[in-house]
Amino acid sequence: GDKSVVDKIAGKGIWQLGVSKEASEALASVGWADADEVTNEGGAVEEGSKVQELPRFEREDIEGLVAKAVAAETFADERSKEMFTADSREQLVKELVRREVKEELGVELEDLLNPIKVVSLETKIIAAEAALAAGGVDAEEEARLRAQVGEDLAKLSVEKRAVMQDWLKIIFRAQAALSVLAGGYMANTPEVPIYGRALGFWVIWLFTIPSLRAVKPLGYPSVGMTALMEKKALNLAFVLTPLLTLALPVLTKDTATIFWADLLTVAACYGGYYLKGDDGSDEGGVEIKGVLRYLDYGTGRERGARK
């Protein structure tokens, strides 16, 4: 059925925006996939009640697919062509890495500590291998490329297994809990200067939610909350709490009221998605971007998420 506005807001993170869909479109542009089937933002396509996986391609197919896509387009200048080439390659590499990580480790690409580094290393390896296969390089350059491939493969092997350990998850969640206590104290204590009390109610958005979002993978399996449910709850809370924090001072100057309203909003987001359950859909039409994207360290910029 149609997604509600709330689901559209909550369904999108930053790193995982449309990777499979963009890869599907790149494949469709060169006849690898059926363009009529590229309709679902999650990367799979619906046909009746069945869901089909993204057509499979291997590492050695990528450069050929990119070349075909470039040949099928016209460009205003060389820079436009280079940007299109790089973007097409990036989308296909992301999808390849996403599949490899899922098959090898059973986790999503976004659950790695440095997802963009993994994609970057894979892209460098593919580019170097393509240069070697094309020939036309002298012995010194060939030796350099082979050494680079070997070094990058070693780094890639390490990065693809760098999943957040339980102790680090505990630290992030403890940091979130402590930020609530600190913010609550500042916002609810009249003796604290007004700027301190104001910071107290902003703590929920600035520290609590990003700390929770930094946990990879999300979720509390022991109580039935999946990673997707918590992700949607935190995405929605991250959008709603600053709006509420900016709007409430028009109605009240009580910093304690604003703090508790923000905290209850986060709790309501969790409760709403817990009661709704996991529908298995990660679709959504509203991104967290612009200024919000740069402030939301919880999505993984410090771990190498996309810029």
Side-chain angles (χ1 to χ4, degrees):
D2 293 338
K3 295 291 178 183
S4 67
V5 173
V6 170
D7 276 342
K8 288 181 178 181
I9 292 174
K12 288 291 187 183
I14 294 177
W15 166 254
Q16 58 271 40
L17 291 178
V19 170
S20 295
K21 179 172 183 288
E22 291 168 357
S24 298
E25 291 171 343
L27 291 173
S29 70
V30 295
W32 192 275
D34 185 349
D36 293 334
E37 292 181 342
V38 182
T39 57
N40 187 299
E41 286 208 26
V45 291
E46 295 181 6
E47 185 179 280
S49 60
K50 297 181 180 180
V51 178
Q52 302 177 357
E53 294 295 329
L54 184 68
R56 190 179 184 92
F57 60 92
E58 304 302 334
R59 174 185 294 179
E60 56 268 22
D61 298 319
I62 290 179
E63 288 304 313
L65 289 169
V66 171
K68 289 180 182 179
V70 171
E73 298 289 332
T74 56
F75 304 96
D77 51 42
E78 192 63 27
R79 178 171 173 76
S80 298
K81 180 179 178 180
E82 291 174 358
M83 291 175 64
F84 178 84
T85 301
D87 186 62
S88 298
R89 182 183 294 112
E90 178 186 18
Q91 303 313 325
L92 294 175
V93 171
K94 281 180 185 176
E95 179 57 28
L96 176 68
V97 175
R98 182 201 64 77
R99 190 185 72 212
E100 289 177 347
V101 170
K102 185 69 174 178
E103 290 176 353
E104 294 173 14
L105 302 174
V107 299
E108 298 297 335
L109 177 59
E110 66 190 79
D111 293 336
L112 301 182
L113 291 178
N114 295 289
I116 196 64
K117 186 173 182 180
V118 172
V119 173
S120 176
L121 286 169
E122 191 79 67
T123 302
K124 287 173 63 178
I125 292 168
I126 290 172
E129 289 177 341
L132 288 169
V137 296
D138 58 34
E140 183 179 348
E141 179 65 10
E142 180 179 349
R144 188 191 68 80
L145 287 173
R146 292 190 184 283
Q148 176 188 313
V149 169
E151 182 181 341
D152 288 341
L153 281 171
K155 291 179 181 178
L156 181 63
S157 178
V158 173
E159 292 295 341
K160 284 171 72 174
R161 287 164 174 75
V163 181
M164 184 172 289
Q165 300 298 309
D166 288 342
W167 64 267
L168 189 54
K169 297 177 188 178
I170 292 172
I171 287 177
F172 278 124
R173 285 177 171 145
Q175 179 178 292
L178 289 173
S179 70
V180 171
L181 294 176
Y185 172 79
M186 289 189 291
N188 287 271
T189 304
E191 291 75 20
V192 174
I194 185 60
Y195 55 82
R197 281 181 281 153
L199 177 61
F201 59 69
W202 275 107
V203 158
I204 299 294
W205 184 66
L206 290 173
F207 298 103
T208 306
I209 296 173
S211 293
L212 292 171
R213 285 169 61 84
V215 175
K216 301 294 177 182
L218 295 167
Y220 298 87
S222 60
V223 296
M225 173 161 276
T226 67
L228 184 59
M229 290 158 63
E230 186 176 15
K231 188 194 92 171
K232 287 184 175 182
L234 289 170
N235 282 353
L236 185 58
F238 190 74
V239 172
L240 293 182
T241 49
L243 299 177
L244 188 65
T245 304
L246 291 171
L248 280 179
V250 177
L251 304 175
T252 178
K253 303 302 180 185
D254 183 11
T255 55
T257 298
I258 300 172
F259 169 83
W260 287 110
D262 283 342
L263 187 59
L264 289 174
T265 297
V266 176
C269 290
Y270 267 90
Y273 278 102
Y274 181 79
L275 293 174
K276 183 177 180 180
D278 189 346
D279 59 6
S281 172
D282 197 25
E283 294 181 6
V286 179
E287 305 174 14
I288 299 175
K289 57 184 181 179
V291 175
L292 291 180
R293 185 179 70 175
Y294 292 104
L295 290 174
D296 182 20
Y297 68 85
T299 55
R301 281 182 62 90
E302 80 287 359
R303 300 188 314 280
R306 73 193 293 177
K307 297 179 181 179

